[in-house]
Amino acid sequence: MTMTSQIVGCGAYLPERVVDNDELSKRVDTTNEWIFSRTGIRERRIAADGELTSDLAFEASKKALESAGIGADEVDLIVLGTTTPDKTFPATATAVQRMLGLKNGAAFDVQAVCSGFIYSLAVADNFVKAGQARTALVIGAETFSRILDWEDRATCVLFGDGAGAVVLRGSEAEAAGPDGHGRNSARGILSTHLHSDGRYSDLLYVDGGPSSTRTVGHVRMRGREVFRHAVSNLSAVIEEALDANGMQSSDIDWVVPHQANKRILDATVRKLGLPPERVVTTLERHANTSAASVPLALDEAVRDGRVQPGNLVLLEAMGGGFTWGACLIRW
Ligand code: UT7
């Protein structure tokens, strides 16, 4: 029996507090003009004191289940991508499990920084396709504001907090032959592609952790070098995903990218020859929410009706490690 997995619901949650670039310019030596022209960011959401990653994840999960019309009791797997867990352990996914009133199935976190949602989706997709789970909640949730050095203007202006979630459901695959153009016409997650390269760990990292400094630490980044790697790694993994499915970039209806920098998004789609209108962009209002950025953008594009059944949707992300990946979905 061949199993397929399909996203049957999406949800998102953003903390209430909006911090715009002008507010940041009172805190560090920066300007709205510099931030917007270099990144495309105008504002970000910041979690309230006491509002934890699990709280954001729980709210997004409830909405995803609601939109799927599926009761929480049907969930038998929770995979949560985060780099800002509530605690070093237990996994934040188990807090979400508790908040949803569940005690069965498996729940765990995945740490792949900004690629965390793509990694989590790939893990859940494989669980579902292997028949080890039937209904998975896949979440990207971050309170990145907690690991920022608010004195470092080169990083603190770039990030925000938020969460997004999807419900992934397994079903027996229908026999789906090639479409009229010889391409795969199956619905659901067509393929996932993950990569990492630990040689670049010093370009984007947190300078603390339980085993090294026994502190939480702060984000450190060599932005220009990360930028260069991001464009070439993302272009390569998108080509890989298209090749694996016998498709071309012109087949893509929507690109839902990790939202790190508008110039990275523009350069990546330009390389692919795709019009910028096909790219879902939330960066201006959300900034970089790390593992939450892809599911936040996906939720927006599904809810406002841009993503329609039958559309080919490409998700992609790159983050610290380096880690990067892509996922091709027939909606
Ligand atoms: O999600 C994980 C992946 N992360 C990324 O993809 C981030 C990738 N990198 C980037 O998005 C960009 O490299 C940044 C937006 C971080 C920086 O843009 P840049 O054009 O690469 O600028 P830069 O780092 O080369 O800095 C240029 C100048 C420097 O001043 P000098 O040395 O030329 O005098 C910085 O000190 O801009 C200065 N600068 C700022 N000025 C005003 C850095 N941050 C700021 C700031 N406000 N917030």
Side-chain angles (χ1 to χ4, degrees), residues 64 70 88 92 106 111-112 126 135 139 176 195 199 230 254 302:
I70 284 176
T88 301
T92 303
Q111 159 60 294
N126 281 308
T135 306
I139 311 164
H195 293 275
R199 288 175 303 164
W254 295 106
V302 170

Side-chain angles (χ1 to χ4, degrees), residues 28-31 34-35 38-39 113-114 152-159 204 221-228 230 258-264 288 290 318-320 322:
V28 285
D29 181 15
T30 190
T31 59
W34 191 96
I35 301 171
R38 298 283 176 133
T39 68
V113 205
C114 298
D152 176 14
R153 69 175 182 173
T155 52
C156 75
V157 302
L158 304 174
F159 297 92
L204 176 54
M221 176 166 72
R222 283 167 40 200
R224 192 157 284 198
E225 285 155 86
V226 175
F227 191 110
R228 205 165 34 82
H258 170 49
Q259 314 278 321
N261 185 315
K262 179 81 168 62
R263 290 182 296 144
I264 295 179
N288 180 349
S290 182
M318 144 115 187
F322 288 140

Side-chain angles (χ1 to χ4, degrees), residues 64 74 89 95 101 124 126 139 177 200 214 238 266 268 296 316:
E74 289 187 47
F89 83 83
N126 281 308
I139 311 164
Y200 299 107
R214 304 180 197 193
I238 294 170
D266 291 345
T268 309
L296 275 168
E316 49 93 324

Side-chain angles (χ1 to χ4, degrees), residues 53-63 95-96 99-101 139 163:
T53 294
S54 59
D55 296 318
L56 311 187
F58 173 56
E59 294 300 329
S61 299
K62 276 196 302 191
K63 291 187 183 161
V96 175
M99 292 157 110
L100 288 169
I139 311 164

Side-chain angles (χ1 to χ4, degrees), residues 45-331:
R45 300 295 183 101
I46 301 293
D49 285 346
E51 192 174 33
L52 307 185
T53 294
S54 59
D55 296 318
L56 311 187
F58 173 56
E59 294 300 329
S61 299
K62 276 196 302 191
K63 291 187 183 161
L65 287 164
E66 209 176 279
S67 83
I70 284 176
D73 55 345
E74 289 187 47
V75 172
D76 54 2
L77 176 68
I78 301 175
V79 187
L80 190 153
T82 190
T83 216
T84 46
D86 292 2
K87 297 177 177 145
T88 301
F89 83 83
T92 303
T94 61
V96 175
Q97 185 190 31
R98 171 178 45 76
M99 292 157 110
L100 288 169
L102 302 177
K103 53 185 169 51
N104 297 319
F108 55 89
D109 291 356
V110 165
Q111 159 60 294
V113 205
C114 298
S115 316
F117 181 76
I118 304 286
Y119 266 64
S120 299
L121 194 59
V123 169
D125 178 51
N126 281 308
F127 266 69
V128 167
K129 285 182 176 152
Q132 211 172 337
R134 174 154 155 72
T135 306
L137 197 51
V138 185
I139 311 164
E142 303 277 15
T143 46
F144 226 74
S145 60
R146 306 267 157 75
I147 55 167
L148 294 175
D149 174 353
W150 287 99
E151 313 267 294
D152 176 14
R153 69 175 182 173
T155 52
C156 75
V157 302
L158 304 174
F159 297 92
D161 300 335
V166 300
V167 179
L168 201 61
R169 184 83 138 166
S171 60
E172 221 173 301
E174 289 164 26
D179 67 8
H181 305 281
R183 294 172 302 236
N184 189 350
S185 68
R187 299 274 300 275
I189 295 191
L190 303 182
S191 62
T192 57
H193 305 265
L194 303 182
H195 293 275
S196 59
D197 188 341
R199 288 175 303 164
Y200 299 107
S201 58
D202 60 340
L203 298 186
L204 176 54
Y205 64 101
V206 161
D207 61 3
S211 169
S212 53
T213 61
R214 304 180 197 193
T215 60
V216 172
H218 294 116
V219 175
R220 305 292 171 208
M221 176 166 72
R222 283 167 40 200
R224 192 157 284 198
E225 285 155 86
V226 175
F227 191 110
R228 205 165 34 82
H229 284 278
V231 176
S232 65
N233 289 343
L234 289 170
S235 308
V237 77
I238 294 170
E239 294 288 359
E240 179 186 324
L242 290 169
D243 284 353
N245 292 282
M247 291 176 181
Q248 296 168 354
S249 59
S250 55
D251 294 322
I252 299 173
D253 293 294
W254 295 106
V255 180
V256 184
H258 170 49
Q259 314 278 321
N261 185 315
K262 179 81 168 62
R263 290 182 296 144
I264 295 179
L265 307 192
D266 291 345
T268 309
V269 291
R270 210 179 309 123
K271 258 186 131 176
L272 283 164
L274 272 178
E277 311 84 73
R278 302 248 189 104
V279 182
V280 178
T281 311
T282 54
L283 189 72
E284 192 170 328
R285 286 166 288 119
H286 299 173
N288 180 349
T289 56
S290 182
S293 87
V294 171
L296 275 168
L298 180 64
D299 179 72
E300 197 164 292
V302 170
R303 275 177 203 271
D304 68 19
R306 271 176 287 177
V307 173
Q308 288 293 320
N311 279 175
L312 190 68
V313 180
L314 177 97
L315 315 182
E316 49 93 324
M318 144 115 187
F322 288 140
T323 55
W324 65 103
C327 172
L328 203 55
I329 304 168
R330 176 72 69 191
W331 204 259

